[in-house]
Amino acid sequence: MEKMGALFILAFSIAYGIYAFKIPLIFLSQGEALNARTMPYALSIADIVISLLIIILPGYDKDQVTTVRAALSGLDWKRTAWLTGLMLVYSLSMPWVGFVIASIFFMAGGMMILGERNFKVILIASVPLVVVLWFLLTKVLGMYIAPGELYYILGGGAI
Amino acid sequence: MINAPGEAATVATAIDGYPMARQGKPGKALAIAAYSSFSGGTIAVILLMLATVGTDQNSGVQRFTFGSMNLLDGLSFIMLAMATFAITEGFLMVLKRQETTGVFKAENLASINDLKVTRREFRKIAPTIGRSSLLGFFIGLAAPETGNNAASSGSFIPLLTLGIPGSGTTAVMLGALIAYGIEPGPRMFVERPEVFWAVIMSMYLGNVFLLILNLPLISYFARLLAVPRNILIPGIIFFSMIGVYLITFNNFDINAMILIAVIALVLRLFNYPMAPLLLGFILGGLMEDNLRRSLVIYDGSF
């Protein structure tokens, strides 16, 4: 399994090394012993060498799992993918619907994805938590959390 | 080989390694340790790479920003820590369907609330506590909890005197000090004595408060185990995302955190450790700055 990870790291290091060539250099720094590109070059080469060594040298897997399929089977990928998608939706929707609504929907959605079907439990575990947190942050700690665009569309904040 | 771990982190290695050595497989034990360390080293280099994202402090050149304004200041340490530990842990709990919570019923919690230590038990553990306090300071072994707390103070020595974190905990501490514009090292004793002594005092006061808070609150901490995972996991992920969002109020950090968490999840599934990551990220910037400073002093000669 480590070899598979090393392959993943090797790909990352090669991509990093290619992008390191694209770092712009100012005229004076081109002759310097250590310029903006030096460290990325060194790190890229070091990681390529290390990951190649992991791939080439004999390895030891403490879990005795030799294939990727064996290591990744039996895992609940579907729910994890849904949860990741929900996180992304939360992040993208927050500027539009605001912190409170987006957070309540995230908590409720997360619980539903993980198998909670009792609507009362979902409501009790999400709404008070988010409202109390919002109150603590804005009213007690005095932090400014910008309301979403929806607030202004509905006429909030109008003088 | 001889069941004497050199530091707190190698205690776990000794648990597996020593029995293997006794079975006549010392070479295999050492090889496993070497392979594992190699993986840790690889992860550290990856994070050194991430530390180069942002504006180069010396020349002002943008590196790996892909034209995004959000990456000009580099990646946030808190965001990386949350993504690789908290969020990934939440993902793993979902992936492996571990019934890690909700298994503690009322009767289990009642037994957790039992705080009484009998005189006989105290007499039995007192020598170990004394011995481990001393040993833990230097090498951090024996009775785990005593050694643990003593070892964490010991690992502050290289941090405060040389500016080199000796453990993951002190790496986080170094990140916090740098965030406040304080550079740990020999000069810190002279330039910021108030910070130095505050750290020393806070370590001891922290121990006292740990005891005061731990004992009456044990039953409440234990009750966290009774929260069903359906509620706990979204809660962990929600607080991690909000913790990162409230620092910069920038949604980009949440998106980056999701991407890094997915990559960290893949690496964890491939048996790569995440602890060297924090060390690599914090030391990355320092390493480049100091190498550059040394080269300037020695006129560019390696």
Side-chain angles (χ1 to χ4, degrees):
Chain A
M1 284 313 298
E2 269 192 357
K3 290 183 189 296
M4 196 61 213
L7 204 64
F8 186 71
I9 293 167
L10 179 68
F12 178 81
S13 307
I14 291 170
Y16 178 87
I18 292 167
Y19 274 104
F21 277 102
K22 294 182 180 174
I23 296 172
L25 285 183
I26 51 171
F27 176 71
L28 285 173
S29 70
Q30 287 181 8
E32 282 178 357
L34 197 143
N35 58 40
R37 281 184 190 171
T38 318
M39 193 61 127
Y41 283 161
L43 290 173
S44 173
I45 292 166
D47 225 17
I48 287 171
V49 171
I50 292 173
S51 45
L52 278 175
L53 283 175
I54 294 177
I55 293 168
I56 295 163
L57 292 174
Y60 174 83
D61 211 318
K62 64 176 192 284
D63 299 330
Q64 303 294 322
V65 180
T66 47
T67 62
V68 177
R69 183 171 284 186
L72 303 184
S73 64
L75 300 174
D76 198 344
W77 288 104
K78 205 174 158 188
R79 273 175 212 231
T80 313
W82 273 106
L83 201 61
T84 312
L86 184 71
M87 287 165 73
L88 214 59
V89 169
Y90 173 63
S91 163
L92 298 174
S93 65
M94 208 196 306
W96 297 99
V97 297
F99 172 80
V100 176
I101 296 174
S103 300
I104 289 171
F105 273 102
F106 173 78
M107 282 297 290
M111 282 183 252
M112 286 174 81
I113 287 170
L114 293 177
E116 186 60 62
R117 290 290 175 264
N118 189 335
F119 191 68
K120 208 186 277 178
V121 171
I122 292 173
L123 213 64
I124 291 170
S126 59
V127 179
L129 177 88
V130 174
V131 172
V132 168
L133 184 69
W134 176 82
F135 182 81
L136 281 174
L137 292 172
T138 56
K139 306 294 174 195
V140 179
L141 295 173
M143 290 171 100
Y144 174 73
I145 298 177
E149 291 293 323
L150 188 70
Y151 175 75
Y152 297 109
I153 291 167
L154 295 175
I159 301 166
Chain B
M1 293 302 101
I2 55 169
N3 206 20
E7 51 155 341
T10 50
V11 173
T13 313
I15 294 168
D16 281 343
Y18 184 58
M20 284 185 78
R22 287 189 63 173
Q23 286 166 22
K25 298 173 187 168
K28 199 168 185 175
L30 280 174
I32 294 166
Y35 289 135
S36 308
S37 306
F38 208 49
S39 309
T42 318
I43 289 294
V45 178
I46 289 267
L47 263 293
L48 284 171
M49 288 175 171
L50 291 185
T52 59
V53 174
T55 309
D56 178 31
Q57 298 214 335
N58 195 48
S59 59
V61 165
Q62 290 177 31
R63 297 190 294 192
F64 306 106
T65 57
F66 304 102
S68 169
M69 291 276 287
N70 297 307
L71 287 171
L72 285 182
D73 286 336
L75 295 168
S76 147
F77 167 70
I78 307 270
M79 184 266 283
L80 272 174
M82 287 290 183
T84 48
F85 287 95
I87 304 268
T88 313
E89 204 55 53
F91 280 164
L92 280 173
M93 281 165 82
V94 179
L95 266 182
K96 296 187 174 173
R97 293 186 197 171
Q98 291 166 341
E99 283 297 331
T100 44
T101 57
V103 290
F104 283 84
K105 304 288 178 236
E107 58 268 29
N108 301 59
L109 289 170
S111 64
I112 289 171
N113 291 351
D114 185 13
L115 308 175
K116 276 185 194 162
V117 179
T118 62
R119 188 173 287 189
R120 199 174 153 200
E121 282 170 334
F122 182 76
R123 215 176 291 152
K124 208 171 160 187
I125 59 171
T128 316
I129 291 175
R131 204 168 47 241
S132 302
S133 300
L134 190 68
L135 277 171
F137 183 76
F138 295 108
I139 49 176
L141 53 102
E145 281 310 315
T146 318
N148 240 355
N149 284 21
S152 61
S153 315
S155 66
F156 267 88
I157 295 173
L159 173 72
L160 295 175
T161 53
L162 302 168
I164 300 166
S167 65
T169 320
T170 45
V172 175
M173 194 71 192
L174 177 63
L177 288 171
I178 291 170
Y180 279 100
I182 300 158
E183 202 170 322
R187 297 289 305 161
M188 192 178 140
F189 292 78
V190 184
E191 286 167 2
R192 304 299 290 265
E194 75 283 5
V195 176
F196 175 77
W197 290 111
V199 169
I200 303 284
M201 280 311 294
S202 68
M203 278 194 290
Y204 196 72
L205 283 176
N207 264 329
V208 173
F209 277 99
L210 187 74
L211 193 69
I212 294 170
L213 291 175
N214 247 358
L215 294 178
L217 293 177
I218 278 174
S219 57
Y220 298 101
F221 292 148
R223 254 166 243 277
L224 268 180
L225 294 168
V227 177
R229 64 193 272 281
N230 296 352
I231 299 171
L232 192 70
I233 296 170
I236 292 171
I237 294 175
F238 170 65
F239 279 106
S240 307
M241 287 196 295
I242 286 307
V244 168
Y245 175 75
L246 291 176
I247 297 171
T248 55
F249 293 97
N250 188 350
N251 289 59
F252 175 83
D253 281 356
I254 301 182
N255 297 335
M257 185 166 76
I258 297 167
L259 179 70
I260 291 168
V262 171
I263 295 170
L265 176 70
V266 173
L267 287 171
R268 275 185 75 166
L269 288 172
F270 289 150
N271 292 332
Y272 280 82
M274 286 294 118
L277 183 152
L278 291 179
L279 280 167
F281 186 72
I282 291 175
L283 293 177
L286 289 173
M287 197 169 96
E288 192 176 9
D289 286 346
N290 286 303
L291 180 61
R292 186 171 277 150
R293 193 171 298 144
S294 311
L295 284 167
V296 168
I297 292 168
Y298 289 98
D299 204 19
S301 168
F302 276 94

mmCIF file of all heavy atoms in Angstrom, chain B residues 60-89:
data_model
loop_
_atom_site.group_PDB
_atom_site.id
_atom_site.type_symbol
_atom_site.label_atom_id
_atom_site.label_comp_id
_atom_site.label_asym_id
_atom_site.label_seq_id
_atom_site.Cartn_x
_atom_site.Cartn_y
_atom_site.Cartn_z
ATOM 1 N N GLY B 60 9.939 38.746 -3.138
ATOM 2 C CA GLY B 60 8.583 39.207 -3.398
ATOM 3 C C GLY B 60 7.928 38.498 -4.568
ATOM 4 O O GLY B 60 6.854 38.881 -5.027
ATOM 5 N N VAL B 61 8.578 37.449 -5.052
ATOM 6 C CA VAL B 61 8.046 36.697 -6.209
ATOM 7 C C VAL B 61 6.934 35.757 -5.738
ATOM 8 O O VAL B 61 7.021 35.180 -4.659
ATOM 9 C CB VAL B 61 9.207 35.884 -6.852
ATOM 10 C CG1 VAL B 61 8.684 34.819 -7.793
ATOM 11 C CG2 VAL B 61 10.144 36.813 -7.586
ATOM 12 N N GLN B 62 5.908 35.620 -6.569
ATOM 13 C CA GLN B 62 4.814 34.694 -6.223
ATOM 14 C C GLN B 62 5.180 33.271 -6.638
ATOM 15 O O GLN B 62 5.635 33.046 -7.749
ATOM 16 C CB GLN B 62 3.538 35.096 -6.943
ATOM 17 C CG GLN B 62 2.930 36.369 -6.420
ATOM 18 C CD GLN B 62 1.713 36.773 -7.216
ATOM 19 O OE1 GLN B 62 0.995 35.936 -7.740
ATOM 20 N NE2 GLN B 62 1.498 38.066 -7.312
ATOM 21 N N ARG B 63 4.960 32.338 -5.689
ATOM 22 C CA ARG B 63 5.273 30.929 -6.003
ATOM 23 C C ARG B 63 4.021 30.064 -5.817
ATOM 24 O O ARG B 63 3.402 30.090 -4.759
ATOM 25 C CB ARG B 63 6.385 30.427 -5.079
ATOM 26 C CG ARG B 63 7.676 31.176 -5.258
ATOM 27 C CD ARG B 63 8.819 30.524 -4.541
ATOM 28 N NE ARG B 63 8.681 30.538 -3.101
ATOM 29 C CZ ARG B 63 9.672 30.224 -2.266
ATOM 30 N NH1 ARG B 63 10.838 29.850 -2.754
ATOM 31 N NH2 ARG B 63 9.495 30.265 -0.981
ATOM 32 N N PHE B 64 3.695 29.293 -6.803
ATOM 33 C CA PHE B 64 2.583 28.327 -6.758
ATOM 34 C C PHE B 64 1.258 28.971 -6.339
ATOM 35 O O PHE B 64 0.456 28.344 -5.651
ATOM 36 C CB PHE B 64 2.922 27.164 -5.819
ATOM 37 C CG PHE B 64 4.216 26.499 -6.133
ATOM 38 C CD1 PHE B 64 5.329 26.709 -5.332
ATOM 39 C CD2 PHE B 64 4.344 25.678 -7.236
ATOM 40 C CE1 PHE B 64 6.537 26.114 -5.627
ATOM 41 C CE2 PHE B 64 5.550 25.075 -7.540
ATOM 42 C CZ PHE B 64 6.652 25.295 -6.733
ATOM 43 N N THR B 65 1.041 30.221 -6.720
ATOM 44 C CA THR B 65 -0.225 30.869 -6.354
ATOM 45 C C THR B 65 -1.278 30.689 -7.452
ATOM 46 O O THR B 65 -2.454 30.956 -7.214
ATOM 47 C CB THR B 65 -0.031 32.379 -6.111
ATOM 48 O OG1 THR B 65 0.528 32.946 -7.291
ATOM 49 C CG2 THR B 65 0.886 32.654 -4.936
ATOM 50 N N PHE B 66 -0.851 30.278 -8.628
ATOM 51 C CA PHE B 66 -1.727 30.062 -9.789
ATOM 52 C C PHE B 66 -2.590 31.305 -10.057
ATOM 53 O O PHE B 66 -3.758 31.194 -10.434
ATOM 54 C CB PHE B 66 -2.618 28.828 -9.585
ATOM 55 C CG PHE B 66 -1.825 27.580 -9.308
ATOM 56 C CD1 PHE B 66 -1.720 27.088 -8.018
ATOM 57 C CD2 PHE B 66 -1.166 26.921 -10.330
ATOM 58 C CE1 PHE B 66 -0.969 25.952 -7.755
ATOM 59 C CE2 PHE B 66 -0.423 25.785 -10.072
ATOM 60 C CZ PHE B 66 -0.320 25.297 -8.783
ATOM 61 N N GLY B 67 -2.029 32.458 -9.781
ATOM 62 C CA GLY B 67 -2.727 33.722 -10.031
ATOM 63 C C GLY B 67 -3.825 34.040 -9.028
ATOM 64 O O GLY B 67 -4.568 35.001 -9.209
ATOM 65 N N SER B 68 -3.947 33.239 -7.986
ATOM 66 C CA SER B 68 -5.019 33.470 -7.009
ATOM 67 C C SER B 68 -4.554 34.409 -5.893
ATOM 68 O O SER B 68 -3.500 34.180 -5.283
ATOM 69 C CB SER B 68 -5.462 32.129 -6.406
ATOM 70 O OG SER B 68 -6.292 32.351 -5.302
ATOM 71 N N MET B 69 -5.373 35.419 -5.627
ATOM 72 C CA MET B 69 -5.070 36.365 -4.541
ATOM 73 C C MET B 69 -5.072 35.650 -3.187
ATOM 74 O O MET B 69 -4.363 36.023 -2.259
ATOM 75 C CB MET B 69 -6.152 37.465 -4.506
ATOM 76 C CG MET B 69 -6.119 38.404 -5.665
ATOM 77 S SD MET B 69 -4.946 39.721 -5.405
ATOM 78 C CE MET B 69 -5.812 40.700 -4.192
ATOM 79 N N ASN B 70 -5.921 34.613 -3.094
ATOM 80 C CA ASN B 70 -6.089 33.915 -1.812
ATOM 81 C C ASN B 70 -4.838 33.170 -1.368
ATOM 82 O O ASN B 70 -4.708 32.822 -0.203
ATOM 83 C CB ASN B 70 -7.243 32.914 -1.918
ATOM 84 C CG ASN B 70 -8.557 33.590 -2.180
ATOM 85 O OD1 ASN B 70 -8.938 34.493 -1.446
ATOM 86 N ND2 ASN B 70 -9.236 33.197 -3.237
ATOM 87 N N LEU B 71 -3.948 32.908 -2.329
ATOM 88 C CA LEU B 71 -2.749 32.133 -1.982
ATOM 89 C C LEU B 71 -1.519 33.020 -1.785
ATOM 90 O O LEU B 71 -0.433 32.508 -1.517
ATOM 91 C CB LEU B 71 -2.469 31.086 -3.070
ATOM 92 C CG LEU B 71 -3.416 29.884 -3.091
ATOM 93 C CD1 LEU B 71 -3.178 29.034 -4.333
ATOM 94 C CD2 LEU B 71 -3.242 29.027 -1.844
ATOM 95 N N LEU B 72 -1.693 34.335 -1.906
ATOM 96 C CA LEU B 72 -0.529 35.228 -1.793
ATOM 97 C C LEU B 72 0.159 35.114 -0.434
ATOM 98 O O LEU B 72 1.378 35.213 -0.323
ATOM 99 C CB LEU B 72 -0.946 36.682 -2.041
ATOM 100 C CG LEU B 72 -1.222 37.072 -3.495
ATOM 101 C CD1 LEU B 72 -1.566 38.533 -3.591
ATOM 102 C CD2 LEU B 72 -0.026 36.761 -4.391
ATOM 103 N N ASP B 73 -0.630 34.926 0.623
ATOM 104 C CA ASP B 73 -0.051 34.809 1.969
ATOM 105 C C ASP B 73 0.307 33.364 2.314
ATOM 106 O O ASP B 73 0.651 33.065 3.458
ATOM 107 C CB ASP B 73 -1.036 35.349 3.016
ATOM 108 C CG ASP B 73 -1.089 36.863 2.975
ATOM 109 O OD1 ASP B 73 -0.109 37.468 2.517
ATOM 110 O OD2 ASP B 73 -2.114 37.437 3.388
ATOM 111 N N GLY B 74 0.168 32.480 1.379
ATOM 112 C CA GLY B 74 0.472 31.071 1.640
ATOM 113 C C GLY B 74 -0.706 30.367 2.284
ATOM 114 O O GLY B 74 -1.770 30.945 2.466
ATOM 115 N N LEU B 75 -0.485 29.092 2.622
ATOM 116 C CA LEU B 75 -1.557 28.316 3.244
ATOM 117 C C LEU B 75 -1.521 28.521 4.753
ATOM 118 O O LEU B 75 -0.448 28.691 5.335
ATOM 119 C CB LEU B 75 -1.390 26.826 2.902
ATOM 120 C CG LEU B 75 -1.552 26.474 1.426
ATOM 121 C CD1 LEU B 75 -1.083 25.053 1.164
ATOM 122 C CD2 LEU B 75 -2.997 26.625 0.992
ATOM 123 N N SER B 76 -2.706 28.491 5.351
ATOM 124 C CA SER B 76 -2.780 28.706 6.800
ATOM 125 C C SER B 76 -2.441 27.420 7.545
ATOM 126 O O SER B 76 -2.905 26.333 7.193
ATOM 127 C CB SER B 76 -4.186 29.183 7.150
ATOM 128 O OG SER B 76 -4.584 28.719 8.398
ATOM 129 N N PHE B 77 -1.639 27.582 8.598
ATOM 130 C CA PHE B 77 -1.222 26.433 9.412
ATOM 131 C C PHE B 77 -2.427 25.768 10.080
ATOM 132 O O PHE B 77 -2.557 24.544 10.094
ATOM 133 C CB PHE B 77 -0.211 26.925 10.461
ATOM 134 C CG PHE B 77 0.065 25.933 11.542
ATOM 135 C CD1 PHE B 77 0.774 24.785 11.269
ATOM 136 C CD2 PHE B 77 -0.386 26.155 12.839
ATOM 137 C CE1 PHE B 77 1.028 23.862 12.262
ATOM 138 C CE2 PHE B 77 -0.125 25.236 13.836
ATOM 139 C CZ PHE B 77 0.579 24.087 13.548
ATOM 140 N N ILE B 78 -3.335 26.606 10.622
ATOM 141 C CA ILE B 78 -4.526 26.080 11.312
ATOM 142 C C ILE B 78 -5.367 25.276 10.324
ATOM 143 O O ILE B 78 -5.863 24.198 10.642
ATOM 144 C CB ILE B 78 -5.402 27.230 11.872
ATOM 145 C CG1 ILE B 78 -4.571 28.177 12.735
ATOM 146 C CG2 ILE B 78 -6.639 26.709 12.585
ATOM 147 C CD1 ILE B 78 -4.468 27.868 14.169
ATOM 148 N N MET B 79 -5.497 25.806 9.092
ATOM 149 C CA MET B 79 -6.291 25.127 8.083
ATOM 150 C C MET B 79 -5.708 23.749 7.768
ATOM 151 O O MET B 79 -6.431 22.761 7.694
ATOM 152 C CB MET B 79 -6.342 26.014 6.828
ATOM 153 C CG MET B 79 -7.212 25.498 5.720
ATOM 154 S SD MET B 79 -6.301 24.559 4.546
ATOM 155 C CE MET B 79 -5.505 25.853 3.637
ATOM 156 N N LEU B 80 -4.379 23.708 7.629
ATOM 157 C CA LEU B 80 -3.724 22.427 7.340
ATOM 158 C C LEU B 80 -3.912 21.436 8.486
ATOM 159 O O LEU B 80 -4.197 20.256 8.262
ATOM 160 C CB LEU B 80 -2.231 22.648 7.122
ATOM 161 C CG LEU B 80 -1.807 22.987 5.706
ATOM 162 C CD1 LEU B 80 -0.341 23.325 5.668
ATOM 163 C CD2 LEU B 80 -2.087 21.817 4.787
ATOM 164 N N ALA B 81 -3.744 21.927 9.718
ATOM 165 C CA ALA B 81 -3.870 21.045 10.887
ATOM 166 C C ALA B 81 -5.289 20.495 10.982
ATOM 167 O O ALA B 81 -5.498 19.302 11.218
ATOM 168 C CB ALA B 81 -3.493 21.808 12.152
ATOM 169 N N MET B 82 -6.273 21.364 10.773
ATOM 170 C CA MET B 82 -7.685 20.934 10.842
ATOM 171 C C MET B 82 -8.000 19.936 9.722
ATOM 172 O O MET B 82 -8.675 18.941 9.935
ATOM 173 C CB MET B 82 -8.611 22.148 10.692
ATOM 174 C CG MET B 82 -8.639 23.026 11.900
ATOM 175 S SD MET B 82 -9.481 22.202 13.252
ATOM 176 C CE MET B 82 -9.435 23.473 14.473
ATOM 177 N N ALA B 83 -7.502 20.239 8.517
ATOM 178 C CA ALA B 83 -7.800 19.375 7.371
ATOM 179 C C ALA B 83 -7.201 17.990 7.551
ATOM 180 O O ALA B 83 -7.859 16.987 7.305
ATOM 181 C CB ALA B 83 -7.270 20.012 6.092
ATOM 182 N N THR B 84 -5.951 17.944 7.994
ATOM 183 C CA THR B 84 -5.260 16.651 8.039
ATOM 184 C C THR B 84 -5.591 15.829 9.279
ATOM 185 O O THR B 84 -5.440 14.620 9.250
ATOM 186 C CB THR B 84 -3.741 16.843 7.970
ATOM 187 O OG1 THR B 84 -3.374 17.846 8.906
ATOM 188 C CG2 THR B 84 -3.290 17.250 6.596
ATOM 189 N N PHE B 85 -6.034 16.478 10.327
ATOM 190 C CA PHE B 85 -6.350 15.707 11.533
ATOM 191 C C PHE B 85 -7.860 15.612 11.782
ATOM 192 O O PHE B 85 -8.420 14.524 11.730
ATOM 193 C CB PHE B 85 -5.616 16.280 12.748
ATOM 194 C CG PHE B 85 -4.149 15.977 12.706
ATOM 195 C CD1 PHE B 85 -3.252 16.879 12.182
ATOM 196 C CD2 PHE B 85 -3.659 14.756 13.148
ATOM 197 C CE1 PHE B 85 -1.896 16.592 12.103
ATOM 198 C CE2 PHE B 85 -2.311 14.449 13.077
ATOM 199 C CZ PHE B 85 -1.436 15.363 12.554
ATOM 200 N N ALA B 86 -8.507 16.758 12.036
ATOM 201 C CA ALA B 86 -9.930 16.713 12.430
ATOM 202 C C ALA B 86 -10.835 16.201 11.318
ATOM 203 O O ALA B 86 -11.588 15.247 11.505
ATOM 204 C CB ALA B 86 -10.368 18.098 12.886
ATOM 205 N N ILE B 87 -10.753 16.828 10.136
ATOM 206 C CA ILE B 87 -11.656 16.447 9.044
ATOM 207 C C ILE B 87 -11.363 15.020 8.581
ATOM 208 O O ILE B 87 -12.273 14.222 8.362
ATOM 209 C CB ILE B 87 -11.514 17.422 7.848
ATOM 210 C CG1 ILE B 87 -11.751 18.864 8.304
ATOM 211 C CG2 ILE B 87 -12.428 17.024 6.701
ATOM 212 C CD1 ILE B 87 -13.120 19.394 8.214
ATOM 213 N N THR B 88 -10.066 14.700 8.450
ATOM 214 C CA THR B 88 -9.706 13.349 7.994
ATOM 215 C C THR B 88 -10.211 12.303 8.984
ATOM 216 O O THR B 88 -10.663 11.229 8.589
ATOM 217 C CB THR B 88 -8.176 13.240 7.835
ATOM 218 O OG1 THR B 88 -7.722 14.373 7.131
ATOM 219 C CG2 THR B 88 -7.780 12.009 7.080
ATOM 220 N N GLU B 89 -10.117 12.610 10.274
ATOM 221 C CA GLU B 89 -10.595 11.677 11.291
ATOM 222 C C GLU B 89 -12.099 11.467 11.137
ATOM 223 O O GLU B 89 -12.592 10.337 11.240
ATOM 224 C CB GLU B 89 -10.263 12.250 12.685
ATOM 225 C CG GLU B 89 -10.151 11.231 13.789
ATOM 226 C CD GLU B 89 -9.163 10.126 13.498
ATOM 227 O OE1 GLU B 89 -8.007 10.438 13.179
ATOM 228 O OE2 GLU B 89 -9.559 8.949 13.600
#
